[in-house]
Structure formats: C-alpha cells, structure tokens
C-alpha cells in the first residue's frame, strides 16, 4: 500500500516509518495546478533569503550563490527545462528540488529556515492575483473605452428605452451604452480598493505563530512590491477573504458582461434587428447555412454562471474553518485560477465583438416612439399646464386607450377627439410628441439628453485610463 511517492524531495517525512500511500499522494498533490505560481514562489524565496542574510543566517557569499541559483532556476522554469515531476507534491517541493539541483543540498537546504508553506502560499496567492488583477483590469478598461467610443459614434441616435422589457421612454443609444460602462468602472474601482487589502505580505507568519529567527518581514514585503507585512500570523495564514474578494469582483465582472450579452443576443435576432455582429466575431451553423450566431455573447452569459460557481465553491470551502491553516485551503486556488483563465480568454473576444458590431440606426430610431413611449411626455406637459400629475396620468391613459382602439399613434389623434378626451389637451401638445424633443427634455442630472451624455463621455475618458498599468 505504501510507496515512497513523495520521494527524496519531500519537504517532510522523517518522523514517519514509510512514505505516504499512493492514494494519499494522489489526493494531496497540487503541483499540476499550483505550478503556475512557480515564478511567484521563486520571487518569494529570493526575498526570503535576503531576510535570512540580514538576520545572519546566510553569509553574503552564500546569499549571492543562492540568489544566482534562484535566477537560474527561474530561467529554467521559464524555458521549460525544469518542470515539476508527478512525484513532486506541490510547487514548493518541486522548486526546492530544483534549487538543490543547482545550489547543492547543503546551501539549498538552508532556504527553508523561518518559513512554512503556510505563510509561503498565503503570500504567493496574493502576488499572483495582484498581477492578474492588472491584466483583467486592463481588459475591462479597454471595454470601457470601447463603449465610450461607440457612444460617441452614435450620438443623437434614439432607441426604445425599456422597463420590465416593455417600451418605456425613448433614450439615446449612447446613454444606454454608457449605462453598461459605469458598472464596469465600479468593478475597476473595486479592484483598486481590493489591492489595498491584498498588498500585504504574510511571510514571517511561519506555520501560524510567527518565527523564532528574528526575520524582518518588511524586507520580503518590500522585495515583493507589497505595502508591508500582515499584522497577525494566525490571520495571515488562515484567512482567504482577500482571495474571496477577488473572486467576487471577478464574478461581478462576469455578471456585468452577461447582462450586456443578453441584450446583444436579443438585439441580433431578426425580430429586433437592432444590430449586426461582425463576421469575425460571430459563428455559423454546421447544418444551417444561413445562420449567424452571437456565440461570444452566449459564452459570456454561460461563463458568468461558471464564475458564480467558482465564487460560491470558494466561499463554501472557507465556511466553518477553525484557525489556523487547514489543508482545505489548498482548494482556494483552482476556483480563482479558473476565473482568471475564464476572464482573460473571454474579455478580448467580448471587447472585439462590442468594438465591431454595427447598429441599425434607422430601425432603432423608428422603434424609439413605438409602444406609446411618449406618454410620459404628454403627462408632464399637462403638469406644466398646472394639471395635477394624478389627473395628467389619467388623461394620458385615456389618450393611449383611444389610440389603441383607433390604431393611432399619440401625435395622430385629431384635435376634436383630443379635446373630447380632456379640454386641457390642446393641439400644441404635439410639440412634445417627438422622440428628439422627449430626449432633449430629459436634461436633469444623469438624464439621457445630449449634454448629460457628453458629460459622461468626458468623465469616463478621464476615469478609464487611470486604472491602467
Ligand atoms: N498546497 C498547500 C496549499 O495550497 C500549501 C501549503 C501546505 N501546507 C501544509 N501544511 N501542508 O495550501
């Protein structure tokens, strides 16, 4: 039952009579997924040996040799000439094996002093996610910029605005597009805010209680570009709220893409015919030669479900864990790795789709007043004539009902019939019965009128580039 699967490079084992069973080794192994942290682990080790040297556990010469060996190991990992073996338990043991191959067992064996895989992994997941947050943030920033550009290209185009998915009031297409940009800007803000909490180094926390060697945790933090060390060694090794918060933001980005996707899918249908997707960002059918499918939007909608699953799986893993480190925490990585992979493959395609889709402006304009969407304008016109809104609502409702019975639009009601509905309804009400007039009138803060849209464009142009880098 028992075999030496962990091999001579296991980071533990001397107090055991034999090696772990194959079944345990297989269950325990994480190297097939945590190998992606290799360069972060090496960076952490390079920082750690500085603290060892500064505390007197490595001579200057030893430190230099180890550092050169770690640079060499990093190169080998990058080139693929050093790879993890199936017998390596995790990225940490694989890299210790690699370091010993280069620096020798005597020197390589000194590196582990004063740290545990518990503080090590808690640090790596932070440095890794900080980098990924930059990549994802840049892609989201690009999408915001694309939306702003599309809004600018389509200034003055009206479309039906909806509530409950029914025609409600006409809005500017630009205003609608920008309504998809703002939530993404808030996601960027969330990432920025999350960085403050993520940019701390658990190194020095050891297994849970700190270390006895007098190592300066500020050195590691500084070397890794983090703001400083964490404050409590138990919390530092046991908590993953920083990982969960990243997962929440990533899933929210997915949800925001999914909401827009739902519209794109509907807009591309023959019945709506609001948009035409570019050939290079749509797909065909293997059996129906006429088909042009919005697969990117569908995949975005589908993958948002997967992202939510990653988040909820992670939260469930964290629930009920006693302090401090528990092996359950190894399960924190695959969900966020999957989220990173999902968003980094999805966003470039999504951005391309949004940048290249064509709006059927004539149709949007033509449908903007449909469904009596100017009824609110009539009611508010009456209010300006000192009719109470309650009465105005009632009068306009009767006008809509008249139109439905006679198959007319609001502006087509004859003068005499208008007067019969209510004496307050004089023919000059037709002045507000245009889409252009309706949009122009909604000039209050955050409204759909052109000046308010232009203000948003200017604001977004200033905000978006700040998040890059
Ligand atoms: N693979 C482990 C993880 O991801 C690394 C820490 C292992 N620590 C331990 N005490 N076994 O959490």
């Amino acid at each position: 039952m028992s075999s030496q699967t962990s091999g001579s490079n296991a980071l533990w084992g001397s107090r055991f009579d034999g090696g772990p069973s194959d079944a345990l080794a297989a269950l325990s192994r994480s190297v097939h997924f945590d190998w992606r942290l290799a360069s972060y682990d090496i960076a952490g080790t390079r920082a750690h040996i500085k603290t060892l040297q500064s505390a007197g556990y490595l001579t200057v010469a030893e430190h230099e040799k180890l550092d050169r060996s770690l640079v060499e190991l990093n190169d080998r990992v990058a080139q693929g000439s050093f790879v993890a073996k199936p017998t390596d338990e995790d990225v940490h043991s694989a890299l210790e094996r690699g370091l010993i191959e280069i620096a020798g067992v005597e020197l390589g064996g000194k590196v582990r002093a004063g740290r545990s895989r518990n503080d090590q992994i808690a640090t790596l997941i932070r440095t890794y996610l900080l980098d990924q947050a930059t990549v994802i943030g840049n892609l989201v920033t690009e999408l915001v910029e694309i939306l702003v550009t599309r809004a600018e290209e389509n200034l003055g185009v009206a479309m039906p605005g909806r509530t409950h998915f029914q025609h409600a009031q006409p809005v500017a297409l630009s205003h609608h597009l920008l309504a998809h940009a703002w939530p993404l800007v808030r996601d960027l803000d969330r990432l920025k805010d999350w960085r403050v909490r993520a940019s701390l180094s658990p190194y020095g926390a050891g297994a849970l209680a700190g270390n006895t060697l007098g190592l300066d945790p500020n050195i590691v933090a500084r070397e890794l570009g983090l703001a400083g060390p964490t404050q409590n060694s138990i919390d530092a090794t046991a908590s993953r709220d920083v990982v969960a918060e990243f997962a929440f933001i990533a899933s929210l980005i997915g949800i925001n893409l999914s909401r827009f996707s739902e519209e794109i899918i509907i807009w591309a249908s023959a019945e709506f015919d609001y948009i035409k997707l570019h050939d290079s960002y749509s797909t065909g059918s293997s059996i129906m030669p006429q088909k042009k499918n919005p697969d990117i939007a569908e995949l975005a909608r589908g993958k948002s479900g997967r992202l939510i699953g990653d988040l909820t799986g992670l939260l469930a893993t964290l629930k009920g864990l006693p302090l401090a480190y528990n092996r359950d925490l190894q399960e924190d990585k695959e969900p966020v790795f999957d989220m990173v992979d999902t968003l980094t493959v999805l966003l470039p395609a999504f951005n391309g789709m949004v940048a290249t889709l064509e709006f059927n402006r004539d149709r949007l304009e033509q449908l903007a007043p449909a469904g009596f969407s100017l009824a609110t304008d009539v009611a508010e016109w009456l209010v300006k004539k000192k009719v109470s809104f309650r009465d105005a609502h009632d009068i306009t409702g009767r006008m809509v009902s008249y139109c439905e019975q006679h198959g007319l639009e609001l502006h087509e009601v004859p003068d005499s019939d208008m007067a019969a509905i209510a004496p307050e309804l004089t023919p000059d009400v037709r002045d507000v019965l245009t889409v252009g007039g309706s949009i122009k009138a909604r000039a209050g803060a955050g409204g759909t009128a052109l000046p308010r849209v232009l203000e948003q464009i200017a604001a977004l142009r200033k905000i978006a580039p700040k998040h890059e880098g």
Side-chain angles (χ1 to χ4, degrees):
M1 284 299 284
S2 173
S3 75
Q4 289 290 334
T5 325
S6 61
S8 56
N9 67 300
L11 301 184
W12 49 274
S14 56
R15 58 100 67 224
F16 289 86
D17 288 338
S21 65
D22 289 345
L24 166 58
L27 172 65
S28 182
R29 189 172 301 132
S30 58
V31 75
H32 52 287
F33 60 81
D34 65 18
W35 185 243
R36 74 164 76 193
L37 300 175
S39 66
Y40 296 91
D41 198 24
I42 294 172
T45 302
R46 289 187 68 195
H48 178 63
I49 60 171
K50 281 211 166 177
T51 67
L52 288 178
Q53 194 231 310
S54 109
Y57 298 100
L58 291 173
T59 65
V60 171
E62 283 175 328
H63 171 265
E64 260 173 32
K65 182 165 181 210
L66 272 173
D67 200 53
R68 260 185 282 117
S69 306
L70 285 164
V71 171
E72 167 69 23
L73 179 59
N74 203 38
D75 289 346
R76 291 187 191 179
V77 169
Q79 290 154 11
S81 57
F82 180 80
V83 289
K85 286 190 195 163
T87 47
D88 292 320
E89 181 184 328
D90 55 20
V91 61
H92 319 296
S93 15
L95 290 173
E96 178 162 310
R97 176 173 63 76
L99 180 63
I100 285 171
E101 268 171 36
I102 299 170
V105 69
E106 183 62 28
L107 194 54
K110 293 193 172 189
V111 167
R112 225 197 293 156
R115 78 173 179 191
S116 152
R117 284 181 292 172
N118 297 355
D119 57 354
Q120 215 173 331
I121 194 66
T123 308
L124 304 194
I125 194 68
R126 288 166 180 254
T127 49
Y128 167 80
L129 289 179
L130 283 162
D131 274 0
Q132 304 313 309
T134 301
V135 173
I136 292 168
N138 286 343
L139 287 164
V140 172
T141 301
E142 183 185 83
L143 178 54
V144 171
E145 282 167 355
I146 291 167
L147 284 165
V148 173
T149 302
R150 303 307 322 253
E152 221 163 19
E153 289 165 2
N154 290 285
L155 287 172
V157 178
M159 70 181 288
R162 294 166 190 275
T163 60
H164 310 268
F165 207 62
Q166 309 299 309
H167 281 228
Q169 290 168 356
V171 293
L173 169 58
S174 308
H175 196 51
H176 189 107
L177 291 172
L178 296 178
H180 282 298
W182 288 109
L184 295 168
V185 167
R186 291 194 292 277
D187 291 337
L188 291 170
D189 278 340
R190 288 183 182 98
L191 282 176
K192 218 167 115 191
D193 192 49
W194 165 83
R195 282 185 172 277
V196 177
R197 286 176 287 286
S199 297
L200 294 176
S201 170
Y203 247 95
L208 81 162
N211 68 82
T212 61
L213 301 181
L215 304 180
D216 179 1
N218 292 296
I219 297 178
V220 175
R222 195 177 56 233
E223 290 296 311
L224 294 179
L226 302 172
T230 45
Q231 301 287 308
N232 180 308
S233 60
I234 296 176
D235 172 44
T237 48
S239 299
R240 293 294 183 273
D241 52 276
V242 158
V243 181
E245 189 178 353
F246 173 90
F248 169 71
I249 300 167
S251 62
L252 200 52
I253 292 170
I255 288 166
N256 285 327
L257 298 182
S258 180
R259 293 163 68 217
F260 192 14
S261 294
E262 172 73 4
E263 292 192 328
I264 289 171
I265 292 161
I266 292 167
W267 290 355
S269 68
E271 288 76 6
F272 270 71
D273 193 25
Y274 282 11
I275 57 166
K276 208 163 101 199
L277 295 175
H278 194 273
D279 281 357
S280 55
Y281 290 98
S282 43
T283 52
S285 154
S286 54
I287 181 168
M288 297 166 284
Q290 85 286 6
K291 284 302 284 292
K292 186 165 175 183
N293 294 329
D295 283 28
I296 294 175
E298 292 168 83
L299 284 165
R301 198 176 51 183
K303 284 180 189 294
S304 70
R306 174 188 182 125
L307 292 165
I308 293 167
D310 287 329
L311 169 66
T312 51
L314 174 60
L315 291 173
T317 296
L318 301 182
K319 176 184 173 297
L321 290 187
L323 299 179
Y325 178 85
N326 298 277
R327 193 64 183 275
D328 313 45
L329 291 175
Q330 182 162 298
E331 295 295 319
D332 69 343
K333 279 169 279 303
E334 283 167 294
V336 280
F337 290 172
D338 184 63
M339 297 179 107
V340 165
D341 293 345
T342 299
L343 286 177
T344 50
V345 76
L346 174 60
L347 278 161
F350 194 91
N351 291 0
M353 170 184 69
V354 178
T356 56
L357 62 82
E358 255 175 62
F359 292 99
N360 188 347
R361 299 177 184 207
D362 292 343
R363 181 154 173 83
L364 288 166
E365 287 272 345
Q366 182 205 330
L367 289 173
F372 308 113
S373 66
L374 295 169
T376 319
D377 297 80
V378 173
E380 290 185 355
W381 177 87
L382 287 164
V383 167
K384 286 181 194 153
K385 301 267 170 204
K386 309 294 175 220
V387 178
S388 77
F389 190 78
R390 188 184 161 82
D391 288 343
H393 190 285
D394 184 70
I395 292 168
T396 313
R398 279 187 274 130
M399 191 173 171
V400 168
S401 157
Y402 172 93
C403 286
E404 272 183 340
Q405 278 164 30
H406 295 84
L408 296 174
E409 291 296 332
L410 290 169
H411 67 273
E412 292 170 340
V413 181
D415 292 0
S416 54
D417 294 2
M418 227 154 32
I421 294 166
E424 294 87 344
L425 276 177
T426 52
D428 51 338
V429 70
R430 293 202 191 89
D431 294 349
V432 299
L433 285 175
T434 65
V435 166
S438 167
I439 289 180
K440 193 169 170 198
R442 292 198 157 70
T448 190
L450 183 63
R452 298 296 86 80
V453 171
L454 290 173
E455 277 167 13
Q456 294 178 61
I457 289 176
L460 287 165
R461 285 250 183 260
K462 266 193 235 142
I463 292 167
K466 267 199 234 146
H467 288 274
E468 270 177 290

